[in-house]
Amino acid sequence: MLLFEYVLVLLAAILLSNVINRFIPSISVPVVQIILGACICFLPFGFGVALDPELFFVLFIAPLVFNTSKTADKKSLWELKKPILNMAIILVFVTVIAGGYFVHFLIPAIPLAAAFVLIAALGPTDDVAVASVAKRVNMPPKIMNILQGESIINDASGIVSFQFALAAVVTGTFSFAGAIGKFLIIGFGGILLGLLLTGIKYLFVRWVRSLGMENITIHILIQLLTPFLIYMIAEALGTSGVLAVFAAGIAHSFGRDKLNPETASLNIASQSIWSVLSFTLDGIVFIILGTQLPGIIRTVLQGAYDISTWEILLYIFAVTSMLIIIRLAWSFCTIRKKEYSEDKSSLHKFKASLIFGLSGARGTVTLASVMSIPLLLDNGTMFPQRDLIILISTGVILVSLVITNFILPLLIEKKTNQGRSAAETGAYLEILRNVISQLGIQINSENKSATELVIRSYYGRTANLQHTNHSDHYYQDENERLLRIRVLEWERAHTNDMMEHKLISGPAALHYLDMLDKLTERFSGKRNFFRTLQKTAERLSHMLHHRKRRGEDTFIHEELLTLMEANNHYVLEQLYRLKEAGNNPAAEKLIMEYEMSRSIQETRRGLEGAMHQETDENKIAEVSSAGFQIERDQIQMMFENGRISRDTAKEMRSNISLLELQLKSGN
């Protein structure tokens, strides 16, 4: 029961870390999780758990390496293969050799072989902290791609180096020539075995499908078991389980983007589940790290080591500095400017190298590695300086995270806006409007009802996109801004006219006029204080005169719908006249928006429900498919013209695939 409660506390801390990061984005999620982990130790429930060191690898490393390699951007990996392999493989081995001798020289109490174990554990970088920073600053895209690719591959290279160094310490024997041969056998054996087991897994899945077992739950369970089984089988056969899992993940990545009726639902569900699982496992590791801090600090302060507290802190900073300097110097000497520089960027080589150096935060893989160090050697003696190695590794993780979180952003320009840019959102809106326009051209007597329904769904998507990205910078065109103010004046005059002729009640009219005033202030950028006081007085006066109606919410709601429909009809008449008078792009854009609004109002009135019953579902599916194809063509055109980025285009296509699945499941 205690273990179950402890797991619940860890999960609650992971959830809380995400919430805290939402309100304090300047502190990355890993740092928040470490702090929360330290706080857990002070809870009056005696929480704590001791995990088997061997369990760390199979429980954390196997699924994390598998998911990271499975979701790798293959195009970026291939385009930047030289700098990525350079940083992920060669740099790791250089760091292990140079760093091992440095640590042994710095701390003679740690044997040379154990020093190699420490540095090998510190070899893999963690892209979680860098990704958190990238949300706040304009990280150069190519540098970010190199860092992500490095993190994917150096998980495998770093862990393999760690395992070799660890085996040398545990067995007490090491031969460089023998190690090279063994590495080739174990490494390539693991890769081949991973690919072979992946092929067997696909044959098994195909056989399951042939039995008619298309249940998503079954296939998700197969995916979740895959990394654990591959890792355990590879280790049992004497090959590298990490490289086997890595190869399996890369093999799975080739089928990740292939959406077809058999695998589309599975891919979407799989992405969601693996996203939650990887975030949870990452979070648990960082929180466990936090839970170790109070005990480590207490041990250091009590003088449990022959080394003083200040010396330990000095060693932590020295090792961290050594890792940064090696990364900086290596990237400066080996990575060419054209490999990280953008076409429009004039990033200085030393600054780019400094970014590479400070982006080497250590995290999940490092902690899982050092926690897997056994307590005893093969001869039964204690592992030399195991606690000190764990202490220094923990300190380096903390310092590197702090450096990446707080110092790295100082080198990079902050982002001026979050998420999709205004220009890309405008392009997205244009795509949806173009689909509506082209579907409208294709309307005939046979598909009229179905096409109108599909067009309304596009109106709804347009409204949601505008509402989600509601901001003044989407209306930068001066002609459009002035026309919007003019349209609001039309609505205001028409509303007053309806109120004077008793076609609408005072409370409903005032509510609508208040909304129009707020929109006018927004588009004009002016706020009239006396007008605000006047509106408040008018509102109070009408509330007093119509206090019996105050509880009639349904009646006022119906009046507002009637008023909105009447205003929409009136404004559309004026806009169409304006459009007929000459070419007016702003009028065409507003016509589209008011047509969309009218469509939404009709849907609310229940007109769409009646139409659904009379419309052939096959026709709806046919028109929807045509709309999706038009949308895909528009996305490709926008991407080729440089109006949207590759990531935005990918996101848009994923949205289309999801909508296709919803349509399929609805039918």
Side-chain angles (χ1 to χ4, degrees):
M1 185 65 178
L2 185 62
L3 178 60
F4 175 72
E5 293 173 350
Y6 183 70
V7 171
L8 287 182
V9 170
L10 292 181
L11 294 177
I14 293 171
L15 175 62
L16 183 59
S17 69
N18 222 15
V19 175
I20 293 174
N21 179 255
R22 171 65 179 81
F23 292 100
I24 314 177
S26 58
I27 304 178
S28 63
V29 174
V31 175
V32 175
Q33 290 169 342
I34 290 172
I35 296 172
L36 290 176
C39 294
I40 289 176
C41 295
F42 297 101
L43 293 176
F45 304 114
F47 286 124
V49 65
L51 289 176
D52 182 351
E54 294 183 3
L55 184 61
F56 257 85
F57 259 89
V58 67
L59 184 60
F60 294 105
I61 298 301
L64 289 175
V65 170
F66 178 77
N67 183 59
T68 303
S69 55
K70 181 170 67 74
T71 56
D73 185 347
K74 299 181 293 298
K75 189 175 187 298
S76 295
L77 285 176
W78 180 253
E79 290 177 349
L80 299 168
K81 56 183 178 296
K82 288 184 178 180
I84 288 175
L85 293 175
N86 173 37
M87 297 287 287
I89 297 179
I90 302 176
L91 176 59
V92 168
F93 293 135
V94 169
T95 302
V96 171
I97 295 172
Y101 281 105
F102 174 80
V103 168
H104 178 60
F105 171 78
L106 186 69
I107 316 173
I110 298 181
L112 181 59
F116 287 141
V117 170
L118 168 61
I119 298 301
L122 292 170
T125 55
D126 193 288
D127 70 332
V128 176
V130 178
S132 298
V133 172
K135 295 177 182 178
R136 298 184 275 123
V137 299
N138 288 314
M139 180 73 79
K142 285 189 177 180
I143 290 182
M144 191 65 200
N145 288 335
I146 292 173
L147 292 172
Q148 290 176 333
E150 176 196 8
S151 178
I152 291 170
I153 297 176
N154 72 9
D155 281 353
S157 61
I159 292 170
V160 170
S161 301
F162 170 80
Q163 290 175 327
F164 270 92
L166 185 63
V169 178
V170 172
T171 61
T173 59
F174 180 78
S175 167
F176 185 78
I180 294 296
K182 190 175 182 182
F183 173 79
L184 294 175
I185 295 173
I186 292 177
F188 283 105
I191 293 173
L192 292 175
L193 186 59
L195 295 175
L196 176 62
L197 292 174
T198 300
I200 294 174
K201 179 245 181 179
Y202 275 124
L203 291 176
F204 175 73
V205 168
R206 184 177 298 178
W207 175 71
V208 170
R209 290 188 185 280
S210 69
L211 299 178
M213 300 174 68
E214 294 291 343
N215 189 300
I216 292 180
T217 304
I218 294 175
H219 292 281
I220 289 294
L221 287 174
I222 293 173
Q223 277 201 14
L224 291 176
L225 288 172
T226 297
F228 300 106
L229 292 176
I230 290 178
Y231 180 88
M232 295 172 68
I233 292 173
E235 288 291 322
L237 294 177
T239 60
S240 173
V242 173
L243 289 177
V245 170
F246 172 77
I250 292 294
H252 278 75
S253 71
F254 285 94
R256 178 169 55 93
D257 299 326
K258 295 179 180 179
L259 284 175
N260 56 63
E262 291 183 348
T263 62
S265 302
L266 176 62
N267 286 346
I268 291 174
S270 174
Q271 290 174 16
S272 300
I273 291 174
W274 274 105
S275 176
V276 173
L277 180 62
S278 61
F279 180 79
T280 303
L281 291 177
D282 264 320
I284 288 176
V285 173
F286 282 117
I287 290 173
I288 289 177
L289 170 58
T291 62
Q292 306 298 308
L293 282 184
I296 290 172
I297 295 173
R298 192 162 43 246
T299 302
V300 170
L301 294 177
Q302 290 173 353
Y305 303 104
D306 296 334
I307 307 171
S308 68
T309 302
W310 291 109
E311 286 179 312
I312 292 175
L313 293 176
L314 177 63
Y315 294 153
I316 289 172
F317 283 107
V319 172
T320 306
S321 301
M322 178 268 299
L323 294 172
I324 292 175
I325 291 171
I326 290 178
R327 284 182 62 84
L328 190 156
W330 187 265
S331 60
F332 184 84
C333 296
T334 63
I335 299 182
R336 292 175 294 178
K337 188 172 183 177
K338 68 177 184 179
E339 293 175 331
Y340 61 78
S341 181
E342 305 295 324
D343 294 336
K344 301 178 181 180
S345 172
S346 58
L347 190 63
H348 192 275
K349 188 170 185 179
F350 180 76
K351 183 176 180 180
S353 300
L354 197 56
I355 293 174
F356 278 117
L358 298 179
S359 299
R362 271 60 182 179
T364 308
V365 176
T366 292
L367 185 63
S369 298
V370 295
M371 294 299 287
S372 68
I373 296 175
L375 299 172
L376 302 175
L377 303 178
D378 284 354
N379 58 14
T381 60
M382 298 291 293
F383 192 97
Q385 302 295 334
R386 179 180 186 272
D387 291 341
L388 183 58
I389 290 173
I390 294 176
L391 172 60
I392 293 176
S393 299
T394 302
V396 172
I397 292 172
L398 290 172
V399 175
S400 64
L401 285 173
V402 170
I403 290 173
T404 300
N405 191 74
F406 296 106
I407 298 180
L408 178 62
L410 300 178
L411 301 174
I412 309 170
E413 179 185 354
K414 290 184 178 179
K415 284 186 176 179
T416 55
N417 63 316
Q418 298 294 326
R420 191 187 297 121
S421 68
E424 287 187 325
T425 300
Y428 204 169
L429 288 169
E430 186 177 329
I431 288 172
L432 297 178
R433 292 184 183 118
N434 288 340
V435 175
I436 293 172
S437 177
Q438 292 190 38
L439 286 177
I441 296 174
Q442 299 175 12
I443 291 180
N444 54 44
S445 57
E446 294 182 0
N447 65 11
K448 184 176 186 298
S449 179
T451 304
E452 287 177 350
L453 280 176
V454 174
I455 287 176
R456 287 182 186 180
S457 72
Y458 276 96
Y459 279 142
R461 288 176 61 189
T462 305
N464 289 336
L465 183 61
Q466 288 178 323
H467 177 73
T468 303
N469 299 278
H470 185 68
S471 179
D472 293 341
H473 60 252
Y474 294 111
Y475 308 104
Q476 294 175 344
D477 183 76
E478 183 64 14
N479 292 330
E480 180 185 340
R481 187 182 70 85
L482 293 175
L483 181 57
R484 287 183 182 277
I485 296 174
R486 186 179 174 186
V487 166
L488 292 173
E489 290 298 328
W490 292 343
E491 288 201 54
R492 185 178 288 104
H494 192 253
T495 301
N496 285 322
D497 185 63
M498 291 184 68
M499 186 169 58
E500 289 176 5
H501 288 83
K502 308 298 182 183
L503 298 175
I504 199 76
S505 68
L510 281 177
H511 182 84
Y512 197 83
L513 288 171
D514 185 53
M515 179 193 69
L516 294 177
D517 288 337
K518 290 178 180 178
L519 288 173
T520 302
E521 290 173 356
R522 173 179 163 232
F523 291 124
S524 64
K526 300 177 181 178
R527 181 176 292 274
N528 191 320
F529 176 72
F530 295 103
R531 173 62 183 149
T532 303
L533 289 178
Q534 181 184 353
K535 289 189 296 180
T536 304
E538 290 176 356
R539 191 182 301 111
L540 290 173
S541 174
H542 277 273
M543 286 175 62
L544 291 173
H545 285 88
H546 298 275
R547 57 185 180 274
K548 289 185 179 181
R549 280 196 172 189
R550 187 174 179 181
E552 301 176 8
D553 295 334
T554 303
F555 178 76
I556 293 177
H557 177 71
E558 290 297 322
E559 281 192 316
L560 281 172
L561 288 178
T562 301
L563 178 57
M564 291 174 67
E565 291 173 7
N567 278 342
N568 267 6
H569 181 74
Y570 177 76
V571 169
L572 280 170
E573 286 183 347
Q574 308 303 315
L575 288 173
Y576 276 115
R577 288 175 187 169
L578 198 62
K579 180 182 177 182
E580 291 171 0
N583 183 29
N584 194 325
E588 293 178 0
K589 184 174 181 180
L590 266 69
I591 287 172
M592 186 75 71
E593 291 184 10
Y594 274 85
E595 288 284 9
M596 174 187 64
S597 179
R598 183 170 67 177
S599 175
I600 294 173
Q601 291 161 11
E602 290 176 353
T603 301
R604 288 174 177 171
R605 289 287 191 181
L607 298 179
E608 185 177 286
M611 193 175 293
H612 259 301
Q613 297 174 0
E614 301 171 2
T615 305
D616 184 2
E617 291 184 354
N618 291 330
K619 279 290 181 187
I620 296 175
E622 181 181 330
V623 176
S624 296
S625 297
F628 291 145
Q629 187 56 49
I630 295 171
E631 192 173 347
R632 285 192 173 97
D633 294 340
Q634 290 283 317
I635 291 170
Q636 183 62 28
M637 183 184 69
M638 290 285 186
F639 171 67
E640 291 176 355
N641 292 337
R643 295 190 58 185
I644 58 176
S645 66
R646 184 184 303 276
D647 289 339
T648 300
K650 185 177 180 180
E651 177 192 352
M652 293 177 182
R653 294 189 186 104
S654 296
N655 291 339
I656 296 174
S657 299
L658 184 58
L659 289 171
E660 286 178 325
L661 288 173
Q662 292 174 343
L663 179 65
K664 179 184 175 183
S665 61
N667 291 336

